[in-house]
Amino acid sequence: MGKYWLFKSEPDVFSFADLAASPGKTAPWDGVRNFQARNFLRDEVKPGDQVLFYHSRIQPPCIVGIAEVVREAYPDPTAWDPTSPYSDSRSTPEKPLWYAVDVRCTREFASPVTLPMLKSDPALEGLLVIRKGMRLSIQPVSETHFRHILKMGD
DNA sequence: GCCAACGTTGGC
DNA sequence: GCCAACGTTGGC
């Protein structure tokens, strides 16, 4: 049974359009440098899982489309790339600390589902992203919430 | 650009 | 192993 997630990205860094323009509409989800998010990526995010693509640090923050996980977790090579902004010398190919997955863009929403929309919808009570101070960049989403947000976007 | 909230680091 | 200081996230 596939799971559902919300992945956050600052569109200035990597946007949904960037994913759509990638070869095969597929790109690595790398640069995750938070342990809780890492644990989700490494242990629970699996191929076939559905992902809400969330744009943060824009006005308004919003979910812009859907992606699908197409490759399970593998050691994040940006960690040992000294030219990468995500470089972290504690992680090595022999003892990886950070992980990435690959995701493929599947569908852009007809209209983005904004954070105010998410917050004002009683059906989305408990959705993590609307919680004050919630900074986690990889968040589990219930199937009910996922289906509801899908309807809002189409 | 500000700053509250949070996660991580490192001195003790 | 506590916790103050620091760095980062992300809504506003």
Side-chain angles (χ1 to χ4, degrees):
Chain A
M1 188 56 211
K3 294 196 193 72
Y4 302 91
W5 305 94
L6 180 145
F7 286 12
K8 286 186 199 168
S9 184
E10 297 181 29
D12 291 349
V13 179
F14 188 75
S15 69
F16 192 70
D18 292 332
L19 179 60
S22 299
K25 297 189 173 187
T26 301
W29 200 272
D30 55 20
V32 171
R33 297 293 179 269
N34 167 284
F35 287 105
Q36 202 181 347
R38 189 277 313 263
N39 292 345
F40 278 133
L41 271 191
R42 186 192 55 190
D43 305 332
E44 297 194 42
V45 176
K46 298 295 174 193
D49 287 1
Q50 302 294 307
V51 174
L52 299 168
F53 199 117
Y54 180 87
H55 280 172
S56 65
R57 245 175 182 283
I58 53 158
Q59 190 52 252
C62 54
I63 298 166
V64 289
I66 307 296
E68 181 177 351
V69 178
V70 293
R71 182 182 172 190
E72 70 179 348
Y74 56 95
D76 181 351
T78 65
W80 48 78
D81 174 2
T83 68
S84 167
Y86 308 118
S87 131
D88 182 347
S89 57
R90 296 175 299 173
S91 186
T92 64
E94 294 74 30
K95 279 195 80 176
L97 181 61
W98 303 115
Y99 288 79
V101 298
D102 287 354
V103 296
R104 186 183 42 180
C105 163
T106 48
R107 186 158 100 255
E108 184 175 5
F109 279 161
S111 61
V113 178
T114 69
L115 186 61
M117 289 165 66
L118 297 171
K119 282 181 170 171
S120 61
D121 194 325
L124 296 177
E125 197 182 341
L127 184 71
L128 289 177
V129 75
I130 63 184
R131 232 187 242 176
K132 183 178 161 77
M134 169 52 69
R135 311 193 321 190
L136 193 60
S137 65
I138 306 285
Q139 302 177 4
V141 175
S142 74
E143 182 175 0
T144 309
H145 286 167
F146 182 86
R147 290 192 191 287
H148 189 77
I149 292 166
L150 225 60
K151 273 187 254 165
M152 296 168 79
D154 291 333

